[in-house]
Amino acid sequence: MAETLTTDSGTHAADRDVFFPQPDGSRVPYAVFSSQEVYDREQERIYRGPHWSFVALACEIPNLNDFKSTFVGDTPVVVTRTADGFACWVNRCAHRGAIVCREKHGNAASHTCVYHQWNYSCEGDLQGVPFRRGQKQGDIMLVGMAKAFDPAQHGLRKLRVAEYKGLLFATFSDDTPDIEDYLGPQMLPWVDRLFHKPIVYLGCTRQYSKSNWKLYFENVKDPYHASLLHLFHTTFNIFRVGMSARSIPDATHGLHSLITVTKPSVETNTASAYTDQKIRSMQDGFALEDPYVLGQIPEYEENCTNQIQPIFPQLVIQQIHNTLVARQLLPKGPSNFELVFHFFGYEDDTPELRELRLLQANLVGPAGYISMEDTEATELVQRGTARDGDKTSFMGMGLDAPDQTNSNITENLIRRFWAGYQRTMGY
Amino acid sequence: MTDQLRLWLEVCQLQNNYVHAIDSGRLEDWPRFFTEDGVYTIISKENEDRGLPAPIIHCRNQRMMRDRVMALRHASIYEAHSYRHALGGIVIESATDDEVHAVSSYIVVNTGAAGESVVYQAGVYRDRLVKQQGNWLFREKRVVYDTSRVQTLLATRSRRRTDEQLARCGRSHGFQRR
């Protein structure tokens, strides 16, 4: 064998094609957005590491034996509702590796691989192997599966599953902490805020972007861009100077975060409010002919217009006005991601509130008035950075006030994210 | 010509005029193909088949359609591109003197700034047409798309961020742009 020049598995800095010049996350090497090596490392250390990946809302699979095909990272998995709760298994036959479940969703007490009809329970246990005990052909007994074959050892690869108030998470790792500890005390009250009572599933929309998944994570931790990229705000007079904001990272690793925006509470006299609160003048703007879509029926103690809460690595919880969405972020190679907007409402919605939620679907998703540009922006970064992996971004907004949590012109959450990412990835 | 065939031609004519207006950039004409209380919805086949209501676009009247056009013209940001709609298989499912239910398949080809044309979306129009003052109008157009993954975003017509937009943004935030 030729003398070995490489070290073990590329964990030494010199072997890697990425280098973060600052530990504070303010400069991110562009290689993390396009390197296959980085992507493969993420699959191991993040999606198969000690993290809970959001896989489904429990109300997507409301009945016994309901299932849904999805992904943890780029590994295909199936989530099922079992007699005991929920199961999640890798969608790969234990026999020869074929995809077992080929539907996006449905109801099935068992799942059979089409290749050789190995059959599994909805928990993922192997139940049947055709010709296992051989077959008699005339006088000859054709031998079946090896004598030593133990079906219990050949089930589907199972993941741990955790439910938190109707959100379903899965993890490959035994080291992942309990879900409540994973979400942490900064995030929990805000998850509880939107999931405090039974929800119903209203459907999903899917958006595919030719850009790296982390560019989207940056986007949902970036209140700075909101009123600058999404000109719908300023064009139709949604942006208001007097709005109060929160931008809070989780204290453990900074990978989760919360952004909220809340309007000034009293707006009895609209005309004087325009003057007093320095709301942008209407004269150079435009007015909606049917502004009902921008209304909001109060339904929480604090009437935030926006709650944007990324839970690393696969979930963004969203309340924008009366739209409620669990966004599932799925990496599809270094340069692509799929974003699935799972819309939901509450079981006790009034018809008026339900109608408004569906009207306000116009605000979000791939054709959303105040979100359609996000994937446009992430694609611009992808295209702009593809060739220059050693160059870095610069994120200095609010850098001198790292503990400020009431600003909406800060890049603090993004820096905290990258600092956490560096630790998780060993960079 | 039979009345049935004549009606089919009238529906074809409306559909063709409709996509022609969009493909020609006459977005302001688009709401006029609807009744004042016309409903326009784009929804994935995935949701439609499961009886789930979440739409991607949902206008409950002509005013909301005009708002959508205004936003596309003055607010939304997207890369310059053009759409071509190809229609086919127009079928009248039921008809009375003043109301028609029709379906038709569509394919939308998107040509981006780099000059590449790709099939952006395929799906079906499920339409309810009514006759008002001798003209057929859409009372409801339900666009059910097969292409469940929407590439990048859904908008129409080419435009880019204008100086006027940027100035407006700066004024509203109270900062000067330089």
Side-chain angles (χ1 to χ4, degrees):
Chain A
M1 190 178 162
E3 59 186 313
T4 307
L5 295 175
T6 51
T7 55
D8 54 351
S9 71
T11 51
H12 294 265
D15 292 336
R16 296 196 306 265
D17 58 356
V18 291
F19 172 66
F20 284 79
Q22 300 289 339
D24 64 8
S26 62
R27 288 180 180 270
V28 176
Y30 292 138
V32 298
F33 300 126
S34 49
S35 158
Q36 183 69 45
E37 193 181 312
V38 171
Y39 178 81
D40 292 340
R41 193 178 173 90
E42 287 169 352
Q43 293 302 314
E44 289 307 315
R45 298 185 71 125
I46 294 172
Y47 299 102
R48 300 207 176 192
H51 301 100
W52 285 108
S53 290
F54 169 69
V55 287
L57 294 170
C59 60
E60 287 181 74
I61 44 174
N63 303 309
L64 177 66
N65 297 331
D66 279 353
F67 67 85
K68 171 195 176 181
S69 299
T70 183
F71 295 87
V72 170
D74 62 10
T75 303
V77 300
V78 174
V79 194
T80 65
R81 189 182 281 258
T82 67
D84 303 326
F86 299 93
C88 180
W89 32 266
V90 174
N91 194 359
R92 185 188 65 240
C93 186
H95 176 216
R96 296 268 285 276
I99 291 281
V100 174
C101 173
R102 301 193 299 157
E103 285 98 43
K104 271 186 177 155
H105 41 72
N107 182 282
S110 68
H111 295 264
T112 304
C113 176
V114 295
Y115 202 173
H116 302 88
Q117 294 193 30
W118 283 35
N119 175 270
Y120 302 90
S121 71
C122 66
E123 288 85 1
D125 297 318
L126 182 60
Q127 302 188 129
V129 173
F131 305 118
R132 181 179 164 201
R133 301 184 199 289
Q135 191 184 28
K136 202 168 177 201
Q137 193 167 301
D139 297 336
I140 307 164
M141 185 64 198
L142 301 179
V143 174
M145 184 56 77
K147 274 204 189 88
F149 180 76
D150 175 11
Q153 302 302 312
H154 294 273
L156 298 166
R157 169 76 166 93
K158 294 178 185 176
L159 284 73
R160 291 169 63 202
V161 181
E163 182 191 9
Y164 186 78
K165 301 198 174 179
L167 293 158
L168 297 180
F169 300 86
T171 183
F172 279 94
S173 171
D174 293 333
D175 300 329
T176 314
D178 288 347
I179 187 66
E180 295 197 20
D181 293 334
Y182 183 75
L183 294 168
Q186 292 78 33
M187 295 298 113
L188 274 173
W190 294 92
V191 180
D192 294 348
R193 177 177 183 262
L194 298 188
F195 293 91
H196 67 287
K197 59 180 173 178
I199 61 171
V200 286
Y201 190 56
L202 301 179
C204 72
T205 60
R206 297 168 189 272
Q207 189 168 5
Y208 200 77
S209 176
K210 294 174 185 166
S211 57
N212 184 271
W213 68 277
K214 298 184 296 300
L215 291 170
Y216 193 73
F217 242 89
E218 285 193 332
N219 180 276
V220 290
K221 290 169 176 288
D222 174 16
Y224 179 30
H225 86 280
S227 62
L228 298 170
L229 175 68
H230 305 303
L231 291 186
F232 188 84
H233 288 103
T234 45
T235 303
F236 293 104
N237 199 28
I238 306 175
F239 174 80
R240 285 152 201 237
V241 173
M243 284 179 161
S244 61
R246 284 185 192 83
S247 53
I248 301 173
D250 81 275
T252 311
H253 42 54
L255 293 167
H256 317 318
S257 57
L258 170 79
I259 292 172
T260 66
V261 179
T262 307
K263 278 184 186 175
S265 55
V266 184
E267 283 180 25
T268 45
N269 184 331
T270 310
S272 73
Y274 273 76
T275 322
D276 298 346
Q277 294 164 21
K278 297 180 183 164
I279 297 169
R280 185 179 62 78
S281 155
M282 288 290 287
Q283 62 188 15
D284 57 349
F286 301 86
L288 289 177
E289 287 188 55
D290 189 350
Y292 185 69
V293 70
L294 295 179
Q296 186 168 359
I297 297 175
E299 49 180 336
Y300 307 103
E301 197 171 321
E302 180 177 337
N303 199 27
C304 303
T305 58
N306 298 59
Q307 172 180 340
I308 304 292
Q309 188 174 19
I311 301 296
F312 188 80
Q314 255 185 214
L315 172 65
V316 182
I317 297 168
Q318 167 215 307
Q319 173 240 322
I320 296 179
H321 294 231
N322 291 106
T323 61
L324 302 173
V325 178
R327 304 178 190 167
Q328 195 182 4
L329 176 60
L330 299 172
K332 301 290 177 187
S335 309
N336 293 281
F337 68 80
E338 181 172 348
L339 190 60
V340 191
F341 290 74
H342 297 287
F343 289 81
F344 63 93
Y346 297 115
E347 280 182 4
D348 64 357
D349 280 350
T350 61
E352 181 196 20
L353 187 50
R354 185 63 59 81
E355 192 203 356
L356 186 56
R357 292 197 205 287
L358 297 176
L359 278 175
Q360 290 184 343
N362 285 298
L363 300 178
V364 302
Y369 284 136
I370 49 179
S371 74
M372 70 162 82
E373 294 93 356
D374 287 325
T375 49
E376 184 82 19
T378 58
E379 289 185 6
L380 290 174
V381 177
Q382 190 75 28
R383 280 151 55 192
T385 59
R387 176 47 52 201
D388 290 302
D390 57 331
K391 301 289 189 296
T392 68
S393 56
F394 173 73
M395 288 173 287
M397 287 300 279
L399 184 61
D400 301 333
D403 298 321
Q404 190 172 54
T405 57
N406 60 355
S407 173
N408 56 13
I409 51 162
T410 180
E411 289 171 316
N412 184 33
L413 297 181
I414 313 181
R415 286 189 296 269
R416 292 292 296 269
F417 168 76
W418 286 113
Y421 176 86
Q422 288 177 59
R423 276 194 299 279
T424 297
M425 290 288 285
Y427 284 151
Chain B
M1 191 188 304
T2 64
D3 287 350
Q4 215 178 358
L5 187 56
R6 182 183 173 80
L7 181 64
W8 187 81
L9 286 170
E10 286 175 4
V11 172
C12 285
Q13 187 178 36
L14 178 70
Q15 298 283 26
N16 280 297
N17 289 342
Y18 176 86
V19 297
H20 182 58
I22 296 171
D23 289 348
S24 309
R26 290 187 285 112
L27 286 191
E28 284 71 13
D29 288 347
W30 165 63
R32 296 185 194 126
F33 287 89
F34 291 80
T35 60
E36 183 59 44
D37 60 352
V39 176
Y40 177 75
T41 306
I42 308 181
I43 187 168
S44 69
K45 182 175 187 298
E46 185 179 357
N47 287 348
E48 184 84 347
D49 287 352
R50 296 177 81 183
L52 297 169
I56 187 168
I57 287 180
H58 179 46
C59 299
R60 58 177 185 167
N61 55 45
Q62 242 188 32
R63 288 174 291 139
M64 279 188 78
M65 296 178 211
R66 288 194 291 268
D67 288 341
R68 176 61 73 165
V69 173
M70 177 104 84
L72 288 170
R73 290 287 194 211
H74 299 285
S76 307
I77 304 301
Y78 43 88
E79 185 178 282
H81 67 283
S82 54
Y83 280 168
R84 292 286 159 202
H85 288 68
L87 292 178
I90 297 175
V91 171
I92 294 175
E93 292 188 317
S94 67
T96 62
D97 285 348
D98 50 12
E99 183 167 306
V100 168
H101 289 248
V103 296
S104 48
S105 296
Y106 69 89
I107 291 171
V108 178
V109 173
N110 179 5
T111 305
E116 195 181 4
S117 295
V118 295
V119 173
Y120 174 73
Q121 197 174 87
V124 62
Y125 291 142
R126 300 192 175 283
D127 299 324
R128 184 151 63 94
L129 290 69
V130 294
K131 206 165 218 179
Q132 287 188 352
Q133 281 106 45
N135 296 314
W136 289 108
L137 294 170
F138 295 114
R139 174 64 183 78
E140 180 173 11
K141 182 177 265 294
R142 194 165 179 83
V143 184
V144 182
Y145 60 95
D146 304 334
T147 318
S148 63
R149 277 180 176 172
V150 176
Q151 180 62 59
T152 312
L153 55 79
L154 194 154
T156 189
R157 291 318 295 173
S158 56
R159 51 167 302 285
R160 61 188 176 81
R161 181 168 288 199
T162 60
D163 289 345
E164 168 261 333
Q165 276 183 321
L166 294 174
R168 183 154 25 87
C169 184
R171 276 198 301 280
S172 76
H173 287 75
F175 64 76
Q176 288 292 312
R177 196 166 280 288
R178 56 142 289 152

